[in-house]
Amino acid sequence: MRSSVSFDDVLLVPKYSEIFSRKEIDLTTRLDHTMQFSLPIISSPMDTVTETDMAKTMFSHGGLGVIHRYNSIKEQSFLVSQCEDAVVAAAIGVSGDYLDRARSLLNNGADILCVDIAHGHHALMRHALTVLRNTFGPDVHIMAGNVATKDGYEALVEWGASSVRVGIGGGSICSTRIQTGHGVPTLQSIIDCATSEFAGDIPIIADGGIKNSGDIVKALAAGADFVMLGSLLAGTTESPGEVHGFAQEKYKVYRGMASKDAQMEWRGHTSSEEGVSSTVPFKGSVSEVVKSLETGIRSGLSYSGASSISQFQSSSTFIQQTSAGSKESNTHILDRSL
Ligand code: XMP
């Protein structure tokens, strides 16, 4: 049995740097030869993360939003149409109305389709990708996932995916690993997929379990071209849902799409519950959250002396840390007794 590493098991070794200002760092990354982004962050297709406001704001910061699919074709198409000039992605499934949904989303201005299922390395995904390619041709960008392995990543590429979401069971609201015993730490999945001959051509989107800008930096170093974020962007003005509470105690709901609450709402019954519903403190505008993450990413690249993501990926070095190292890596003064 081989071992695996997660974000907190590793650090990046600081290197000689000639970066004098974080502004010198170029975070440009590509989804394909026609779509380039100045920030490698994508918001998750979840009903407490991405609708029109989030997608537009993510795009205004150089990133991308994926409008979730947990509503009617008409409602989702309307959300997409409201994004007007912004580049926007929209999620679909692999069965039922997915083809009609895809057609309507593209007709209403979606630039990217995201085939969004929990276990992407699956015959239903192969069928859906084949049908989508046959119907819409080679030029539509089709993001697909999720997968946890290099085999899964390569299969999705061979079946027609233009980019692949990598990470199973690592999300902050996931209970897949508890419920099913299956999953791979997200960082290990990225490391494995990055060894594929397709890496570099077909973007790897690290998805699930990213807690801070340090984790984003580690995902990029491991070979991700983008990260996808749920909890870090939830609880903001632009995420869907009401603000509850008052004064310093304001919060919003953030829930897994396979949680009982979410399933009851979007399909009226539950099958396997592989997520939880929770709340996160209200954070104000997502713009401030994104700016803070961007500052952290830029700082991260400067510690490796890298002025671009590709330079960073070829020069960064991971080191594994012990549990004592991990403890030292977190602020620990508050743990000390006086
Ligand atoms: P973070 O850690 O950013 O994770 O909050 C967001 C990602 O979690 C995935 N997701 C789920 N995974 N059960 C799961 O196992 C769920 O109910 C669920 N809902 C979302 C998804 O990939 C998302 O981007």
Side-chain angles (χ1 to χ4, degrees), residues 141-207:
H141 187 104
I142 306 180
M143 182 185 290
N146 280 30
V147 298
T149 61
K150 180 179 171 183
D151 281 351
Y153 167 73
E154 293 185 338
L156 266 54
V157 175
E158 278 156 15
W159 300 342
S162 322
S163 59
V164 179
R165 290 167 64 190
V166 176
I168 289 193
S172 60
I173 34 56
C174 297
S175 55
T176 296
R177 295 182 191 167
I178 297 165
Q179 178 82 350
T180 71
H182 282 66
V184 175
T186 301
L187 185 69
Q188 186 65 49
S189 293
I190 304 304
I191 292 169
D192 293 348
C193 293
T195 63
S196 167
E197 59 176 310
F198 296 125
D201 287 331
I202 303 296
I204 294 171
I205 301 160
D207 180 20

Side-chain angles (χ1 to χ4, degrees), residues 23 47 168 190 203 228 251 269 275 301:
K23 288 189 193 133
D47 71 353
I168 289 193
I190 304 304
M228 181 170 271
Y251 61 90
H269 67 273
L301 265 64

Side-chain angles (χ1 to χ4, degrees), residues 57-90:
T57 312
M58 291 306 295
F59 181 72
S60 73
H61 286 281
L64 175 70
V66 187
I67 308 257
H68 72 86
R69 64 185 172 92
Y70 301 98
N71 45 19
S72 68
I73 294 178
K74 199 172 165 192
E75 284 163 334
Q76 191 187 12
S77 301
F78 177 72
L79 295 175
V80 167
S81 70
Q82 295 304 101
C83 292
E84 296 152 358
D85 52 324
V87 172
V88 65

Side-chain angles (χ1 to χ4, degrees), residues 42-45 65-67 69 76 89-94 105 110-117 125 129 132 140-146 163 165 205 228:
I42 303 176
S43 63
S44 293
V66 187
I67 308 257
R69 64 185 172 92
Q76 191 187 12
I92 56 173
V94 292
L105 294 168
D111 302 280
I112 295 156
L113 292 174
C114 172
V115 189
D116 167 43
I117 58 171
M125 174 65 88
L129 284 174
L132 289 164
V140 173
H141 187 104
I142 306 180
M143 182 185 290
N146 280 30
S163 59
R165 290 167 64 190
I205 301 160
M228 181 170 271

Side-chain angles (χ1 to χ4, degrees), residues 216-259:
I216 298 177
V217 172
K218 290 173 187 176
L220 295 174
D225 300 281
F226 291 84
V227 294
M228 181 170 271
L229 305 179
S231 67
L232 280 177
L233 306 176
T236 53
T237 309
E238 292 81 355
S239 64
E242 300 297 309
V243 178
H244 300 282
F246 53 89
Q248 302 306 311
E249 306 288 317
K250 288 184 182 165
Y251 61 90
K252 289 182 88 162
V253 169
Y254 175 52
R255 62 187 186 185
M257 294 318 307
S259 66

